[in-house]
Amino acid sequence: MSVDDPFKHSTIGSGVFYKNPRAALKWLEAAFGFEPSMVVSDADGRLVHAEMRFGDGYIIVDSEWADHIASPASVGGRNTQSIYIRLAAGLDAHCEQARAAGADITQEPADQFYGERLYRARDPEGHVWTFTQPIRVVPRQEAERLGDLKIAGWHR
Protein backbone atom coordinates (compact mmCIF):
# COMPACT_ATOMS: atom_id res chain seq x y z
CA MET A 1 0.00 0.00 0.00
CA SER A 2 1.25 3.46 -0.86
CA VAL A 3 0.27 6.69 0.88
CA ASP A 4 0.61 10.01 -0.90
CA ASP A 5 2.60 12.63 1.01
CA PRO A 6 0.04 15.32 1.87
CA PHE A 7 2.88 17.77 2.51
CA LYS A 8 4.62 16.99 -0.81
CA HIS A 9 7.97 16.71 0.94
CA SER A 10 11.17 15.93 -0.89
CA THR A 11 12.96 12.74 0.08
CA ILE A 12 15.22 14.47 2.58
CA GLY A 13 15.01 17.61 4.67
CA SER A 14 16.76 18.90 7.75
CA GLY A 15 15.78 20.25 11.16
CA VAL A 16 17.42 23.46 12.36
CA PHE A 17 17.02 24.41 16.01
CA TYR A 18 16.94 27.91 17.46
CA LYS A 19 16.68 29.63 20.82
CA ASN A 20 14.27 32.04 19.12
CA PRO A 21 12.61 30.12 16.27
CA ARG A 22 10.07 32.84 15.44
CA ALA A 23 12.87 35.33 14.82
CA ALA A 24 14.67 32.65 12.78
CA LEU A 25 11.62 32.19 10.53
CA LYS A 26 11.57 35.89 9.67
CA TRP A 27 15.34 36.08 9.23
CA LEU A 28 15.60 32.97 7.01
CA GLU A 29 12.90 34.39 4.77
CA ALA A 30 14.52 37.84 4.50
CA ALA A 31 18.15 36.68 4.24
CA PHE A 32 17.99 33.45 2.26
CA GLY A 33 14.57 33.48 0.60
CA PHE A 34 13.04 30.51 2.42
CA GLU A 35 9.24 30.46 2.31
CA PRO A 36 7.24 29.52 5.42
CA SER A 37 4.88 26.65 4.58
CA MET A 38 3.63 25.68 8.04
CA VAL A 39 3.78 27.30 11.48
CA VAL A 40 2.24 25.43 14.43
CA SER A 41 1.73 27.15 17.78
CA ASP A 42 0.42 25.84 21.09
CA ALA A 43 -2.45 27.35 23.09
CA ASP A 44 -0.03 29.85 24.67
CA GLY A 45 1.27 30.99 21.27
CA ARG A 46 4.64 29.22 21.54
CA LEU A 47 5.99 27.85 18.28
CA VAL A 48 6.05 24.06 18.42
CA HIS A 49 6.84 23.27 14.77
CA ALA A 50 7.50 25.17 11.57
CA GLU A 51 8.45 24.22 8.03
CA MET A 52 10.04 26.34 5.33
CA ARG A 53 10.56 25.56 1.66
CA PHE A 54 13.33 26.43 -0.74
CA GLY A 55 12.95 25.10 -4.27
CA ASP A 56 11.99 21.44 -3.96
CA GLY A 57 13.55 21.07 -0.49
CA TYR A 58 12.37 21.90 2.98
CA ILE A 59 13.67 22.52 6.47
CA ILE A 60 12.03 22.25 9.84
CA VAL A 61 12.62 25.24 12.12
CA ASP A 62 12.09 24.46 15.77
CA SER A 63 13.06 25.43 19.29
CA GLU A 64 15.49 23.72 21.64
CA TRP A 65 12.83 21.26 22.77
CA ALA A 66 15.04 18.67 24.53
CA ASP A 67 18.39 18.51 26.33
CA HIS A 68 20.07 16.95 23.29
CA ILE A 69 18.73 19.62 20.87
CA ALA A 70 20.58 22.95 20.77
CA SER A 71 21.22 26.02 18.70
CA PRO A 72 24.89 26.84 18.11
CA ALA A 73 24.15 29.94 20.23
CA SER A 74 23.71 27.61 23.21
CA VAL A 75 26.90 25.58 22.63
CA GLY A 76 29.58 28.19 22.04
CA GLY A 77 28.84 28.57 18.32
CA ARG A 78 29.78 24.98 17.46
CA ASN A 79 28.04 23.31 14.52
CA THR A 80 27.66 19.58 13.98
CA GLN A 81 26.08 20.02 10.56
CA SER A 82 25.83 22.52 7.75
CA ILE A 83 23.00 22.77 5.30
CA TYR A 84 23.97 22.90 1.61
CA ILE A 85 21.61 24.57 -0.82
CA ARG A 86 22.07 24.57 -4.58
CA LEU A 87 20.90 27.62 -6.47
CA ALA A 88 20.18 27.47 -10.19
CA ALA A 89 21.51 31.02 -10.69
CA GLY A 90 22.14 34.31 -8.90
CA LEU A 91 24.56 33.15 -6.20
CA ASP A 92 26.32 36.53 -5.88
CA ALA A 93 23.02 38.43 -5.58
CA HIS A 94 21.84 35.85 -3.04
CA CYS A 95 25.00 36.46 -1.01
CA GLU A 96 24.42 40.23 -1.06
CA GLN A 97 20.80 39.72 0.06
CA ALA A 98 22.03 37.59 2.97
CA ARG A 99 24.72 40.13 3.86
CA ALA A 100 22.15 42.98 3.82
CA ALA A 101 19.96 40.98 6.22
CA GLY A 102 22.88 40.63 8.65
CA ALA A 103 24.42 37.29 7.69
CA ASP A 104 28.08 36.87 8.61
CA ILE A 105 29.62 35.85 5.29
CA THR A 106 32.33 33.43 6.38
CA GLN A 107 33.43 32.52 2.84
CA GLU A 108 32.94 35.01 0.03
CA PRO A 109 31.57 33.76 -3.30
CA ALA A 110 34.29 31.99 -5.27
CA ASP A 111 34.55 29.50 -8.11
CA GLN A 112 35.58 26.00 -7.02
CA PHE A 113 37.77 23.63 -9.04
CA TYR A 114 34.98 21.05 -9.22
CA GLY A 115 32.65 23.34 -11.22
CA GLU A 116 30.59 25.19 -8.63
CA ARG A 117 30.54 28.71 -7.26
CA LEU A 118 30.11 28.75 -3.48
CA TYR A 119 29.65 30.99 -0.47
CA ARG A 120 29.10 30.32 3.23
CA ALA A 121 27.16 32.36 5.76
CA ARG A 122 26.51 32.19 9.48
CA ASP A 123 23.02 33.13 10.70
CA PRO A 124 22.36 35.18 13.88
CA GLU A 125 22.38 32.07 16.11
CA GLY A 126 25.51 30.62 14.50
CA HIS A 127 24.22 28.00 12.02
CA VAL A 128 26.50 27.70 8.98
CA TRP A 129 24.75 27.68 5.60
CA THR A 130 26.52 26.79 2.33
CA PHE A 131 25.09 27.98 -0.98
CA THR A 132 26.38 26.67 -4.32
CA GLN A 133 25.62 27.24 -7.96
CA PRO A 134 26.81 25.00 -10.80
CA ILE A 135 28.93 26.96 -13.28
CA ARG A 136 30.49 24.29 -15.48
CA VAL A 137 30.71 20.53 -15.93
CA VAL A 138 34.05 19.18 -14.71
CA PRO A 139 35.03 15.60 -15.55
CA ARG A 140 36.30 13.53 -12.61
CA GLN A 141 39.81 13.28 -14.05
CA GLU A 142 40.05 17.08 -14.29
CA ALA A 143 38.79 17.52 -10.72
CA GLU A 144 41.36 15.01 -9.51
CA ARG A 145 44.13 16.87 -11.32
CA LEU A 146 43.00 20.35 -10.23
CA GLY A 147 42.42 19.34 -6.62
CA ASP A 148 45.38 16.97 -6.40
CA LEU A 149 42.94 14.29 -5.22
CA LYS A 150 41.92 10.70 -5.95
CA ILE A 151 38.13 10.57 -6.31
CA ALA A 152 36.02 7.39 -6.17
CA GLY A 153 32.66 7.95 -7.84
CA TRP A 154 31.57 11.24 -9.38
CA HIS A 155 28.51 13.30 -10.15
CA ARG A 156 26.32 12.15 -12.98
Side-chain angles (χ1 to χ4, degrees), residues 91 110-118 133-138:
L91 183 114
D111 295 352
Q112 305 300 309
F113 71 89
Y114 48 84
E116 293 186 335
R117 189 160 176 78
L118 174 149
Q133 174 187 326
I135 54 174
R136 69 184 188 97
V137 175
V138 175

Side-chain angles (χ1 to χ4, degrees), residues 48-130:
V48 295
H49 178 84
E51 295 182 12
M52 299 187 89
R53 297 205 176 260
F54 191 97
D56 63 352
Y58 75 102
I59 60 170
I60 293 172
V61 175
D62 211 337
S63 63
E64 300 175 311
W65 52 268
D67 288 344
H68 66 280
I69 301 293
S71 163
S74 296
V75 292
R78 291 186 308 271
N79 277 239
T80 60
Q81 70 172 1
S82 178
I83 298 176
Y84 283 70
I85 299 164
R86 176 165 280 170
L87 305 175
L91 183 114
D92 291 86
H94 191 272
C95 179
E96 289 311 311
Q97 176 182 329
R99 189 187 319 272
D104 174 19
I105 306 303
T106 61
Q107 185 175 345
E108 292 291 334
D111 295 352
Q112 305 300 309
F113 71 89
Y114 48 84
E116 293 186 335
R117 189 160 176 78
L118 174 149
Y119 86 90
R120 284 193 174 91
R122 192 177 296 271
D123 72 22
E125 288 200 22
H127 295 281
V128 175
W129 299 80
T130 302

Side-chain angles (χ1 to χ4, degrees), residues 139-141 143-144 150-156:
R140 180 183 54 80
Q141 294 82 359
E144 286 179 325
K150 180 66 179 159
I151 300 170
W154 193 239
H155 306 283
R156 294 189 244 204

